[in-house]
Amino acid sequence: MRFNDERDIFFKKRFGMFIHWGLYSIPAWHEQIIWRGNIKRSEYERYVDQFNPTKFNPDEWIDIAKEAGIEYICFTTKHHDGFCMWDTAFTDYNVMNTPYGKDVLGQLAEACQRRNMALSLYYSIVDWHHPNYPNMGRSHEMFGPRKGDLPDAKKYLDFVKNQVRELCTKYGKIYQFFWDLNSANFVDESINEMIRSLQPGILINDRGPGPGDYSTPERHVPEGRVFSIPTEACQSLGRESWGYKDDEDYYSCKHIIRSFDKILAMGGNYLLNVGPKADGTIAQENIKLLRKIGKWYKTVYEAFDGTYPASYLITNDDVLLTKRDNTVYVHLCNEPEVNRVILKPLDILPKRAILLNNGQELECRVDVTPGLWREKPYLRIRNIPVDEMTDTVMVIKLEFDESINE
Ligand code: GLC
């Protein structure tokens, strides 16, 4: 599973930070408060006169990301509300017309380039503000046009093209283009073609008006043990919202680490979301969670770096394997019930078994166990500290002398 061109960088940058930020950080309830909540569009649009993130400092965002081992940032340039976080010539509904009055995307892009952080752009096709978007009550749409709107798919797509051209020309190198919500089912392959010609080597997701490069499961781990197509799973730290919510209910660190581990061990990438506050800062709860997740990620990083999914080597359904040359990594990504793991049908003794989480050496045997007395000897890893390491995913490194059965 490779593109065999510049896009193969996708398989190296495994951990991204999704950032949902816009006017919706002011009511601080959900990025779709217009659709899910009790607020009229006209009322929401008045937040334009309040948006003033005086503490916005993209370097701080990048510091937080780098500390967690994150290698790219995906930023919401325009969410469903239609508000644009950059200096666009194609609608007044943008950040330049707020009290803040500065190009947020421009500052973020400048900092990312300076700090060697790849930048991806999120863009919603559904638009609750633009007069030409045909709002018809489909998924995540307004129930109809409002007074004065002139629904016109062609004109709207021209607007999208103009904005996308702007995004792909004004802000330097763009790593990925993350389309969201094509509820109108627009088909226009020329837009992705334009993106590719303006940004050679860019990766485009599968939610846009033309074929993309990778799939984007959301808030869940798909069935199976290996992805058959390039995949970037996205997940938010908060259970309820992607934008900042001041009374957010957070996932447990363990839940995030488990889904993170599974997605990566299946060969996918992980895009983990934070929603900055209206003042531009990232809330402490998010920073704390990211630190813990990042600490785990850095400790087990070698199990993902240049490895490929190798769970086909075993029949266990509660563990996943990754592999590089003669090194195999065992991911205990489900709650281990016993302090050993039997890797059936492997029957080769590794030189060494190291628990990456704490560097501890683990004992291995190749033997017949009473539970499997009718079968042949299998590799058994013993004395795993299952009662000590309960809030994490343990990853065991097995170093073999020889190449194991493919
Ligand atoms: C969901 C949410 C949307 C969010 C997106 C991120 O579709 O409804 O608000 O931007 O996920 O992938």
Side-chain angles (χ1 to χ4, degrees):
M1 184 175 69
R2 287 294 182 265
F3 298 106
N4 294 317
D5 58 35
E6 210 188 317
R7 290 171 296 174
D8 279 348
I9 188 168
F10 184 83
F11 303 102
K12 298 216 173 80
K13 293 187 188 295
R14 311 290 304 275
F15 187 17
M17 182 191 248
F18 215 168
I19 298 187
H20 274 69
W21 199 39
L23 294 183
Y24 42 81
S25 63
I26 299 172
W29 189 74
H30 190 281
E31 73 281 0
Q32 299 167 10
I33 187 169
I34 299 180
W35 197 66
R36 294 175 192 246
N38 266 327
I39 187 167
K40 289 210 179 85
R41 258 190 289 183
S42 51
E43 226 178 293
Y44 179 90
E45 286 164 357
R46 287 205 284 274
Y47 288 129
V48 167
D49 303 324
Q50 279 182 45
F51 190 73
N52 195 12
T54 48
K55 295 191 183 152
F56 168 55
N57 177 355
D59 279 294
E60 280 175 13
W61 292 5
I62 296 173
D63 288 342
I64 294 167
K66 289 210 166 190
E67 196 192 329
I70 286 167
E71 290 183 280
Y72 63 98
I73 286 175
C74 181
F75 182 67
T76 48
T77 61
K78 182 188 86 157
H79 207 265
H80 316 332
D81 61 359
F83 182 75
C84 299
M85 295 292 275
W86 79 100
D87 184 4
T88 174
F90 300 99
T91 172
D92 291 337
Y93 196 43
N94 77 62
V95 70
M96 304 308 286
N97 298 317
T98 62
Y100 186 62
K102 282 179 270 182
D103 187 338
V104 161
L105 177 62
Q107 294 174 68
L108 177 62
E110 184 280 320
C112 284
Q113 268 139 33
R114 184 163 36 76
R115 306 279 305 273
N116 191 25
M117 174 66 79
L119 178 64
S120 307
L121 305 181
Y122 165 107
Y123 186 94
S124 168
I125 298 177
V126 160
D127 192 310
W128 300 331
H129 178 85
H130 198 278
N132 296 136
Y133 181 83
N135 274 295
M136 291 167 54
R138 291 164 294 201
S139 169
H140 296 78
E141 283 183 347
M142 297 288 105
F143 284 99
R146 62 177 156 180
K147 228 171 137 201
D149 278 358
L150 298 163
D152 184 327
K154 176 163 181 325
K155 277 198 181 145
Y156 180 70
L157 279 182
D158 284 341
F159 163 76
V160 169
K161 277 182 219 169
N162 284 329
Q163 287 211 309
V164 168
R165 189 179 304 108
E166 215 173 32
L167 289 170
C168 290
T169 47
K170 279 178 65 173
Y171 298 99
K173 174 100 179 141
I174 305 301
Y175 175 50
Q176 294 168 311
F177 202 88
F178 191 114
W179 291 107
D180 197 18
L181 271 184
N182 185 7
S183 300
N185 290 316
F186 292 129
V187 178
D188 182 344
E189 297 193 12
S190 75
I191 309 183
N192 281 358
E193 283 163 19
M194 176 184 78
I195 297 177
R196 293 190 199 281
S197 76
L198 296 172
Q199 290 281 342
I202 196 170
L203 286 137
I204 305 179
N205 81 349
D206 65 346
R207 300 185 186 181
D213 302 313
Y214 61 96
S215 76
T216 52
E218 195 171 293
R219 285 194 194 268
H220 75 284
V221 179
E223 289 295 310
R225 301 203 293 172
V226 57
F227 291 116
S228 54
I229 50 171
T231 299
E232 179 198 66
C234 54
Q235 169 73 47
S236 192
L237 288 174
R239 169 65 187 83
E240 293 298 331
S241 177
W242 298 77
Y244 178 65
K245 178 167 175 32
D246 58 13
D247 58 349
E248 183 59 274
D249 302 320
Y250 288 95
Y251 287 103
S252 69
C253 190
K254 182 166 159 178
H255 173 77
I256 301 282
I257 289 178
R258 278 196 179 158
S259 77
F260 189 4
D261 183 78
K262 284 181 190 169
I263 296 287
L264 264 66
M266 287 164 70
N269 296 342
Y270 205 63
L271 184 60
L272 186 57
N273 178 73
V274 298
K277 303 206 289 197
D279 67 3
T281 61
I282 294 177
Q284 276 309 318
E285 296 98 314
N286 291 261
I287 298 179
K288 268 195 229 147
L289 267 172
L290 278 171
R291 275 207 186 115
K292 275 174 111 174
I293 296 160
K295 201 167 162 211
W296 171 84
Y297 181 56
K298 288 185 169 177
T299 312
V300 303
Y301 178 75
E302 62 166 275
F304 305 117
D305 184 24
T307 59
Y308 59 88
S311 307
Y312 64 87
L313 290 168
I314 51 169
T315 54
N316 310 48
D317 51 18
D318 54 346
V319 299
L320 292 171
L321 301 186
T322 53
K323 182 174 182 300
R324 184 195 320 99
D325 306 323
N326 295 347
T327 306
V328 172
Y329 298 91
V330 185
H331 300 255
L332 305 183
C333 47
N334 293 304
E335 190 79 50
E337 288 173 10
V338 188
N339 71 349
R340 60 97 173 108
V341 59
I342 296 175
L343 296 177
K344 185 179 163 182
L346 293 184
D347 57 2
I348 305 171
L349 202 61
K351 269 192 301 197
R352 253 160 34 114
I354 303 289
L355 179 59
L356 289 182
N357 306 65
N358 64 0
Q360 178 186 340
E361 183 150 0
L362 298 173
E363 183 196 330
C364 293
R365 294 187 185 181
V366 173
D367 59 1
V368 173
T369 48
L372 295 168
W373 62 280
R374 286 175 184 278
E375 303 192 22
K376 67 183 188 74
Y378 299 125
L379 171 56
R380 177 161 62 109
I381 310 169
R382 302 191 61 230
N383 295 322
I384 302 170
V386 287
D387 283 325
E388 288 78 46
M389 297 226 173
T390 51
D391 61 349
T392 189
V393 167
M394 288 185 272
V395 180
I396 303 162
K397 176 185 190 178
L398 303 177
E399 295 169 359
F400 291 92
D401 268 327
E402 48 189 300
S403 148
I404 60 166
N405 310 340
E406 295 284 323

